[in-house]
Amino acid sequence: MTLTHDPLMAECPFVGYPTGWFIAAWSQEIGPGEIQPRRYFGTDLVVWRSDSGRAVVMDAHCAHMGCNLAHGATGRPHENGLVVGDSVQCPFHGWRWDTDGRNVEIPGCDRTSRVRMRTWPTREVHDRLILVWHDALGRPPLWEPPGIAELDDPRRWYLATEDCAWRRISDLRLPNVMLLENSVDPAHVKFVHGSEIGRGEILTADGPVFRSRIDLTYRARDGRSFSNGGIGVELWGMGLIVTRLSGIHDIIQVVGITPTDGWNVDARVLNVARRDPKQEHPSPEARAVIDHQLYAIDEDASIFAHTRYRARPPFLPDEREDFRVVRRWIGQFYPPVEC
């Protein structure tokens, strides 16, 4: 299903795959010498890491005769693709392509081809996220990922891989325009997620990063209340949501929503807890909180999977302006619609 043929999204004014940075893989998913297939933005891709450690996102189909670089003959060494040093080798005829997409070897031939594979702009941040740049107009990156300072501060945060909470949900119907509108929707936080809400406000709505905050009181499963809590949200374009939760335990949550086909996405969630100087690892209570937050996205996803996008909903007076602001901000990441 294409973006334009989803009846539930017929009213949505945002057409096509958005511009911006998106998670192509967790860093830990792609070790040196490994390659994996992906399908993002309606396109077959491969994500691989050279033996020297560079992460690469490349068109999947060999420029020679179209073989998918991550799929070879069953039972052969190339069955799941093959990285050779700082190049990837085609499973069909053995042509090798380097990290910039140049042909560096043709077996049995004393020359190489001038044809190049398309490589996608890639950034690896905090040794945790491999980000890929997408732009429907083919422009190079217009801005850089702002970064998450906490992920470089092991003195204050539990950053060891085993101390973090990780999740990936493949090919989930979750229109990112709906999920990003949650950043200005405190009413849903109360009704869906069970927290008492205070005020919400937009902090920044200029440029590629949108910031908002919602004050709230958490309610634990045993009925206890935790006041003076809050949700600080950063939207990095349409692809990443960085949330700072305070209250029961301070948590950094990173949510990646990378379009696959149509309005489906690969969703990834990473949760990190603030360090207790008396504890080498998160306490059982902190661990329970960061693990539980992995599944909060399910509560929204089960709703959005069947929700019809309303271009002109009957907003309440106290919510109208915030929704208008976030929708205007979202519009910058989509190319103009040709009439």
Side-chain angles (χ1 to χ4, degrees), residues 13-333:
F14 309 117
V15 178
Y17 297 111
T19 289
W21 293 103
F22 299 84
I23 298 180
W26 298 128
S27 294
Q28 66 197 39
E29 290 183 88
I30 313 290
E34 294 182 352
I35 181 172
Q36 293 185 14
R38 294 285 189 271
R39 183 167 177 82
Y40 292 144
F41 319 109
T43 303
D44 290 321
L45 305 172
V46 290
V47 184
W48 58 280
R49 191 184 296 278
S50 69
D51 284 349
S52 63
R54 180 177 172 182
V56 182
V57 179
M58 178 182 283
D59 280 359
H61 298 287
C62 181
H64 175 217
M65 291 187 66
C67 175
N68 189 305
L69 297 174
H71 296 285
T74 301
R76 304 292 294 175
H78 286 69
E79 181 176 349
N80 298 308
L82 187 67
V83 175
V84 181
D86 287 341
S87 66
V88 62
Q89 189 168 50
C90 176
F92 197 14
H93 297 94
W95 287 36
R96 286 172 49 197
W97 308 91
D98 71 8
T99 56
D100 294 316
R102 293 176 298 223
N103 177 236
V104 294
E105 181 182 329
I106 300 175
C109 186
D110 59 3
R111 64 182 181 86
T112 57
S113 174
R114 294 182 180 179
V115 174
R116 295 186 69 156
M117 294 283 296
R118 179 172 64 159
T119 58
W120 294 55
T122 306
R123 303 287 188 270
E124 189 161 14
V125 296
H126 308 297
D127 294 323
R128 296 172 188 276
L129 313 175
I130 299 174
L131 304 182
V132 62
W133 173 262
H134 172 266
D135 182 73
L137 303 179
R139 294 170 295 184
L142 304 176
W143 49 281
E144 292 296 322
I148 307 167
E150 293 90 341
L151 297 187
D152 289 327
D153 190 358
R155 296 173 303 169
R156 294 185 174 87
W157 297 86
Y158 291 108
L159 299 182
T161 298
E162 63 273 16
D163 288 335
C164 302
W166 307 80
R167 189 180 185 204
R168 177 186 173 192
I169 315 167
S170 296
D171 213 24
L172 174 72
R173 189 189 187 279
L174 182 63
N176 52 4
V177 294
M178 292 182 175
L179 187 59
L180 267 60
E181 288 183 0
N182 275 357
S183 62
V184 297
D185 188 7
H188 104 279
V189 175
K190 178 178 181 178
F191 202 75
V192 175
H193 303 300
S195 296
E196 295 299 322
I197 57 172
R199 65 189 182 94
E201 63 177 324
I202 293 174
L203 304 176
T204 304
D206 297 322
V209 179
F210 182 99
R211 295 181 175 89
S212 64
R213 178 173 174 81
I214 299 172
D215 296 327
L216 53 78
T217 295
Y218 287 99
R219 294 200 179 279
R221 292 179 178 179
D222 61 7
R224 291 179 298 161
S225 296
F226 297 85
S227 59
N228 300 320
I231 303 174
V233 179
E234 286 186 2
L235 309 179
W236 297 6
M238 301 297 295
L240 288 106
I241 304 170
V242 180
T243 304
R244 293 170 172 86
L245 299 100
S246 59
I248 305 176
H249 288 281
D250 289 353
I251 295 173
I252 304 296
Q253 182 177 70
V254 181
V255 177
I257 41 175
T258 306
T260 55
D261 278 297
W263 291 101
N264 285 16
V265 301
D266 264 8
R268 289 178 173 83
V269 186
L270 164 64
N271 291 331
V272 177
R274 181 180 287 277
R275 182 177 290 278
D276 179 345
K278 300 178 182 178
Q279 299 273 355
E280 183 178 356
H281 301 285
S283 67
E285 293 80 10
R287 185 80 222 189
V289 171
I290 63 173
D291 286 343
H292 172 70
Q293 286 298 130
L294 288 180
Y295 297 92
I297 195 170
D298 291 343
E299 296 173 316
D300 291 324
S302 61
I303 292 174
F304 290 145
H306 307 282
T307 295
R308 182 180 297 277
Y309 185 91
R310 296 296 190 191
R312 296 178 178 82
F315 288 127
L316 297 174
D318 60 352
E319 66 181 2
R320 180 182 297 112
E321 183 57 27
D322 284 355
F323 273 96
R324 286 178 175 175
V325 169
V326 75
R327 288 186 173 188
R328 285 196 299 267
W329 180 83
I330 287 172
Q332 70 181 299
F333 302 106

